[in-house]
Amino acid sequence: MSGFADAPDADVIARILAGDGDAFGILIRRHEAGLLRFATRMLGSADAAADAVAEALIRAYRHLASLDDPTRFRTWLYRIVANRCKSHLGRRSAQRVSLEEAAPVPDPHDEEAELERAEQLGLVERALRTLSPEKREAFLLKHVEGLSYEEMAALTGERIPTLKMRVHRAREALLEALKEHR
Amino acid sequence: MSRLDPRIHQVLDGELPPERLAPELRAVVLRLERAAGLLRAGPAPASVADRVLAALHRPETSRARRVLQWLTERHVVTIAMRPVWSLALAAILATVILVPDHGGAPLLGAQEGIARFVGHFPGARSVDVVGPFTDWHTGVVALRDDDNDGVWSAVIVLPAGTHEYMFVVDGERWVADPLAGRYVSDGFGRQNALLIVRPVSR
């Protein structure tokens, strides 16, 4: 298994579908950091993000056989997580998340530079939360997760020109919000 | 909302080299890239791997068993129906019992927790953990040693509370976990290990 840890997603998936369910752990460890980061930024809460990602991973495992192209597993996972995030956001749309709740808590032992970095991160996170879920998702997928427009199109089901426009508007909205939160 | 110069978007979309931008426009690009960089490098969230794998390894109580359990508990049931409806009810019950359950269970119930079993069995070909949660049968929860270092482990979801368990090595050798710390007599002169599972606090 140790050598298998570096195998491409498609090979690991073939192994899982052949009956080695535990090999799913390889895929979890390979992709969860990005998924958790994306969900945390989408939802503004690490707990809610962990729930969304865990639910998405279980769903992915149970529907693995229905994945047409295993080489696009990562994109497929992001799609499931993005849908879970939308469900979570929909469920709590009535209640506003307080900005303080999700603000990063700096470690008191951190150096001054680290505190400043945490402060700036808090500023960006607050600005990000003012964007609509669609724009937030577009910005995060493009600029934080580094997906191409083609991958984003496969993930969201939207056309590339639509996504480009959404990313452009998201950049503008984020800059505007950053000015306001200064 | 003010629109950005289209060349800023072109640079960020990789369609134009940044050197082609005037310094004030490049500053905007840098600002957006820095914001994305901060979001990318934020504190690493805690892993959900154990939680997911445990949920996937939850020992399943079969639907037939759950129905049997319900039937053997005390209930007050009053049904008055025509014979034709009783046939329909029998068909529905048979479907519920016989059709396999394909998941959909919640990740962790309020009264469930994660149990991790670890044992050092160098040279073993297989290690199972058994207990009341497997009806003391092997082949339900198998431990794994993926890196062949002799350390076998498994993570599963169990109801909160105290559980007796044993390891079964190579399908025949029953071993009480030497690291359990608590043991209870099995009534036949041997000791079962004891595990306390606490509900996952949310």
Side-chain angles (χ1 to χ4, degrees):
Chain A
M1 178 86 124
S2 50
F4 206 75
D6 301 325
D9 285 355
D11 293 358
V12 181
I13 289 167
R15 182 164 169 162
I16 296 165
L17 293 177
D20 182 3
D22 284 345
F24 194 60
I26 295 172
L27 296 178
I28 296 178
R29 279 180 274 276
R30 187 174 291 172
H31 296 292
E32 70 170 343
L35 297 172
L36 283 165
R37 180 177 53 213
F38 170 67
T40 304
R41 302 304 181 216
M42 278 301 290
L43 299 173
S45 152
D47 283 347
D51 284 347
V53 171
E55 287 164 15
L57 286 167
I58 287 176
R59 190 169 286 240
Y61 179 83
R62 293 196 168 127
H63 294 88
L64 203 53
S66 69
L67 175 60
D68 292 331
D69 181 0
T71 61
R72 307 186 86 163
F73 177 70
R74 176 171 173 257
T75 310
W76 185 63
L77 265 186
Y78 270 98
R79 183 167 70 208
I80 301 173
V81 171
N83 286 338
R84 299 311 303 162
C85 287
K86 280 173 195 156
S87 301
H88 278 252
L89 286 170
R91 278 206 295 274
R92 65 173 204 205
S93 59
Q95 63 184 77
R96 255 190 97 67
V97 181
S98 89
L99 298 180
E100 290 71 25
E101 179 199 326
V105 182
D107 186 326
H109 302 297
D110 280 348
E111 300 292 329
E112 198 174 318
E114 184 56 27
L115 283 171
E116 192 188 327
R117 199 198 62 80
E119 202 172 291
Q120 288 182 347
L121 173 61
L123 181 76
V124 175
E125 285 179 329
R126 286 196 291 279
L128 187 72
R129 248 173 272 136
T130 64
L131 270 58
S132 69
E134 287 76 21
K135 285 185 188 146
R136 202 183 319 156
E137 178 186 75
F139 185 84
L140 289 171
L141 291 175
K142 177 72 185 154
H143 288 299
V144 180
E145 301 310 320
L147 267 62
S148 65
Y149 281 117
E150 286 74 17
E151 287 174 313
M152 288 171 66
L155 190 156
T156 59
E158 300 280 5
R159 293 168 59 245
I160 289 177
T162 307
L163 288 168
K164 265 194 170 181
M165 188 55 68
R166 198 175 286 169
V167 170
H168 292 188
R169 297 292 92 86
R171 289 169 187 158
E172 288 157 359
L174 187 71
L175 279 176
E176 197 95 338
L178 280 170
K179 270 187 221 159
E180 284 169 17
H181 282 91
R182 262 198 184 283
Chain B
M1 181 170 50
S2 56
R3 294 276 180 262
L4 288 174
D5 188 305
R7 286 168 297 175
I8 292 174
H9 292 304
Q10 287 178 308
V11 168
L12 286 165
D13 287 338
E15 297 164 353
L16 188 71
E19 305 80 60
R20 300 272 294 274
L21 283 187
E24 66 273 16
L25 297 184
R26 211 182 296 174
V28 178
V29 169
L30 287 175
R31 186 139 191 241
L32 279 165
E33 284 180 339
R34 177 160 169 69
L38 283 165
L39 291 169
R40 213 177 295 126
S47 170
V48 295
D50 275 359
R51 186 173 155 192
V52 172
L53 290 172
L56 295 176
H57 290 143
R58 178 201 305 264
E60 285 288 337
T61 309
S62 70
R63 208 169 265 211
R65 191 181 168 83
R66 288 201 296 272
V67 172
L68 187 68
Q69 197 175 352
W70 184 83
L71 289 172
T72 54
E73 286 169 357
R74 289 160 70 93
H75 298 281
V76 177
V77 180
T78 308
I79 303 174
M81 59 174 63
R82 295 172 195 276
V84 66
W85 289 115
S86 64
L87 284 174
L89 179 63
I92 291 168
L93 270 177
T95 306
V96 168
I97 293 169
L98 297 175
V99 170
D101 185 359
H102 288 298
L107 276 181
L108 277 178
Q111 291 306 313
E112 289 182 317
I114 293 174
R116 177 189 286 276
F117 298 96
V118 181
H120 187 223
F121 301 107
R125 292 187 306 279
S126 72
V127 180
D128 285 78
V129 63
V130 298
F133 47 87
T134 70
D135 284 340
W136 295 100
H137 288 147
T138 56
V140 181
V141 180
L143 278 68
R144 291 176 60 97
D145 175 17
D146 290 330
D147 50 8
N148 297 314
D149 64 354
V151 178
W152 295 72
S153 64
V155 182
I156 61 170
V157 172
L158 285 176
T162 304
H163 298 271
E164 295 179 34
Y165 69 99
M166 292 283 278
F167 291 132
V168 182
V169 181
D170 295 337
E172 55 188 24
R173 189 159 59 92
W174 287 57
V175 181
D177 183 353
L179 302 175
R182 294 168 193 242
Y183 302 89
V184 63
S185 165
D186 67 356
F188 300 96
R190 292 203 302 194
Q191 301 275 303
N192 289 336
L194 273 185
L195 170 74
I196 297 173
V197 174
R198 303 190 189 288
V200 172
S201 55
R202 303 304 312 270

